[in-house]
Amino acid sequence: MITSIRGFNDILPPETTLWQHIEGAAREVFKVYGFSEIRVPVMEKTELFAKGIGDTTDIVEKEMYTFSDRNNESVTLRPEGTASVVRAYIEHRLCNMPCAKLYYIGPMFRYERPQKGRYRQFHQIGAEVLGISDPMSDAETLDMLLAFFKKIGLDDIELQLNSLGCKNCRPVYREKLKQFLSEKKEQLCDNCQRRIDTNPLRVIDCKSRKCVEVTDDAPSILDYICNECKTHFEEVKGYLYLFGAGYSINPRMVRGLDYYTRTTFEITSDKLGSQNAVAAGGRYDGLVRELGGPDVSGFGFAIGMERLAMLLKEGSGSTSHEAGIFIVCIGKEAETEGIRILKELRERSLRAEIGYHDKGIKGQMKMADKLGARFTLILGDDEISKREITFKDMKTGVQEKVDIEGIAERVIDEIAQVKKV
Ligand SMILES: [Zn+2]
Ligand SMILES: [Zn+2]
């Protein structure tokens, strides 16, 4: 047996129904906020991610699927979506648009240790706003994200907000934090002891209990951000109020990358444990220029589809099939009639299937049951000669003979009744 690659997961029916539901909701919500879909390749030149994510990050150092193609060019399966979207934005001069509001849905790849709900091929829904630095745009995009979660029925989530300052004020905070951490170096976890010099901000984000305790009274970035950053943050909060979006402030939430600026956020759920973010993002005003484009702002987020699907499955179990119809046919004449009815039902967008005659009537009824059909239509010689059809409700077991003419109408009525309940 040939199995799938470790960490590369099949998503099977009926779970795919849930995934379609999530993707459909995203498309619907994002559209009314003026976003358009962009489809970027799953593979890019390695240098894009080295530059766009940062070559000292864990992702680029340890987790990328990087290899040489047959022409000896170094290529990488995308570990995230933002770098590709920004690359496309620059390459196709989308900066000529007044403001680019783009979203993407698709697989990403990271060589991590597979765990429950975490795979090497995983999926994200993400959105980016390029060319706008106005704090109203931060709030509007966050409001869209919350509207999406509301649409799919995930309610016990929290928006956590922070500001990371800018290239003027963050270095001051970084030094202050480094000083604080150096004095307590011995008490930190091994990973963080190493990070004090290279990436001190990540230390206060560390989930290890030791580090959480030690950094409890670490200086807060919000006490060090400059006046411009302070104003931006206050305005984001003001606009969130106008959009009716609730939030809490979390000064410990950081990103390790230099081009992240000002607003940063996570959407968390208690049900997810310590790795509790189901979506995250923020402002990245330096990235477009870093990748060779104009000096314009960026703001974006990504939603983890696997985690989201996990949360929704726990909540509702809403992965069942749509109510369907199964047509059982015995004999050639019955098949002719059966196919005619089948086509009519399908043309009216009802889920309808037909039995294959080599299975016999028993086999066909079994199949109807296994497929979870709500109603079964049975056509045999007896029915054909009387121009009738046996109509069976699979839930109640009740069956009756009805006129073959107008059967499609009858089925549509019954299905509509079922859907109402
Ligand atoms: Zn600043
Ligand atoms: Zn640590």
Side-chain angles (χ1 to χ4, degrees):
M1 183 178 59
I2 300 173
T3 59
S4 69
I5 302 169
R6 185 167 141 84
F8 286 65
N9 189 34
D10 296 308
I11 303 155
L12 306 171
E15 197 178 338
T16 38
T17 310
L18 176 63
W19 282 60
Q20 287 169 351
H21 168 67
I22 294 171
E23 290 165 2
R27 290 179 196 284
E28 224 178 297
V29 173
F30 295 178
K31 190 171 94 183
V32 299
Y33 279 78
F35 281 69
S36 310
E37 186 180 9
I38 182 167
R39 300 195 184 193
V40 288
V42 294
M43 200 158 74
E44 300 270 4
K45 293 178 183 168
T46 303
E47 58 178 296
L48 174 68
F49 301 116
K51 254 192 159 169
I53 302 174
D55 35 22
T56 59
T57 55
D58 279 358
I59 297 176
V60 173
E61 274 186 344
K62 296 182 235 159
E63 295 169 0
M64 292 208 305
Y65 274 91
T66 298
F67 50 91
S68 298
D69 69 7
R70 288 175 188 275
N71 199 26
N72 267 326
E73 183 165 14
S74 180
V75 292
T76 295
L77 291 176
R78 63 181 185 196
E80 53 107 64
T82 305
S84 300
V85 172
V86 171
R87 196 255 320 127
Y89 171 83
I90 298 166
E91 185 172 342
H92 303 290
R93 296 183 192 286
L94 302 182
C95 40
N96 294 334
M97 300 160 77
C99 121
K101 298 202 272 187
L102 304 163
Y103 76 88
Y104 58 85
I105 298 176
M108 309 291 159
F109 306 86
R110 285 184 203 177
Y111 197 86
E112 288 182 282
R113 210 157 56 84
Q115 305 165 35
K116 185 180 176 249
R118 183 176 275 209
Y119 303 98
R120 289 175 174 176
Q121 174 175 327
F122 58 100
H123 299 77
Q124 287 186 338
I125 299 176
E128 318 288 351
V129 181
L130 296 158
I132 301 283
S133 58
D134 194 305
M136 193 209 273
S137 163
D138 304 33
E140 184 186 27
T141 309
L142 287 169
D143 180 56
M144 175 173 89
L145 187 55
L146 294 172
F148 162 74
F149 283 115
K150 191 171 171 196
K151 177 113 195 159
I152 56 169
L154 197 68
D155 31 31
D156 48 356
I157 50 159
E158 192 180 357
L159 167 61
Q160 297 194 18
L161 204 62
N162 193 18
S163 175
L164 286 181
C166 64
K167 60 178 188 299
N168 298 325
C169 53
R170 193 166 54 222
V172 182
Y173 171 68
R174 209 182 128 110
E175 275 317 304
K176 206 79 201 164
L177 184 64
K178 243 161 107 172
Q179 239 171 50
F180 172 88
L181 294 172
S182 304
E183 286 162 22
K184 312 202 170 193
K185 186 169 180 180
E186 256 62 287
Q187 301 167 53
L188 296 169
C189 77
D190 293 349
N191 201 6
C192 286
Q193 293 198 12
R194 257 183 295 126
R195 286 198 286 202
I196 290 181
D197 288 319
T198 54
N199 213 339
L201 267 71
R202 290 315 298 262
V203 178
I204 55 169
D205 192 39
C206 181
K207 303 282 188 268
S208 130
R209 262 192 60 193
K210 274 202 279 186
C211 300
V212 172
E213 272 171 30
V214 173
T215 59
D216 192 42
D217 53 351
S220 161
I221 186 153
L222 294 177
D223 296 330
Y224 289 87
I225 56 177
C226 66
N227 282 334
E228 284 82 1
C229 289
K230 224 171 247 167
T231 306
H232 186 94
F233 197 45
E234 288 309 312
E235 286 189 26
V236 170
K237 290 192 274 185
Y239 284 119
L240 280 173
Y241 177 76
L242 293 182
F243 278 106
Y247 62 86
S248 62
I249 304 291
N250 178 2
R252 299 179 73 95
M253 187 177 49
V254 296
R255 299 267 178 281
L257 309 183
D258 285 345
Y259 58 75
Y260 278 109
T261 47
R262 297 186 173 167
T263 315
T264 182
F265 68 90
E266 284 181 358
I267 306 269
T268 57
S269 163
D270 288 342
K271 288 189 197 139
L272 284 169
S274 67
Q275 297 276 339
N276 57 2
V278 65
R283 184 159 277 290
Y284 49 84
D285 286 349
L287 181 62
V288 180
R289 196 174 58 175
E290 178 67 30
L291 290 175
D295 190 10
V296 299
S297 301
F299 184 92
F301 63 77
I303 303 164
M305 294 268 294
E306 275 78 5
R307 285 186 189 184
L308 186 53
M310 217 160 72
L311 281 175
L312 289 173
K313 256 196 304 194
E314 275 168 20
S316 65
S318 68
T319 51
S320 61
H321 277 303
E322 209 175 300
I325 304 108
F326 193 91
I327 304 173
V328 171
C329 304
I330 306 302
K332 276 284 159 216
E333 244 179 288
E335 264 182 9
T336 310
E337 200 62 42
I339 288 172
R340 189 188 60 76
I341 297 167
L342 181 74
K343 290 279 288 181
E344 194 174 343
L345 294 176
R346 286 178 174 168
E347 270 161 21
R348 302 208 184 189
S349 299
L350 291 176
R351 180 180 156 228
E353 285 165 280
I354 193 163
Y356 305 109
H357 72 250
D358 64 348
K359 297 223 183 283
I361 185 160
K362 249 186 158 171
Q364 290 187 39
M365 290 303 290
K366 220 187 233 172
M367 204 167 151
D369 199 38
K370 272 196 178 156
L371 289 171
R374 186 62 172 76
F375 299 105
T376 302
L377 306 178
I378 303 156
L379 275 163
D381 293 341
D382 190 38
E383 280 92 349
I384 292 291
S385 65
K386 292 186 189 144
R387 300 297 295 158
E388 282 179 343
I389 196 161
T390 301
F391 185 93
K392 183 174 179 185
D393 186 325
M394 300 293 278
K395 200 166 174 190
T396 60
V398 175
Q399 63 178 60
E400 56 176 321
K401 297 225 165 156
V402 299
D403 201 342
I404 210 165
E405 308 311 324
I407 183 65
E409 303 304 326
R410 168 73 192 266
V411 170
I412 287 162
D413 281 354
E414 295 280 350
I415 291 278
Q417 289 296 327
V418 171
K419 281 188 178 160
K420 242 185 255 168
V421 176

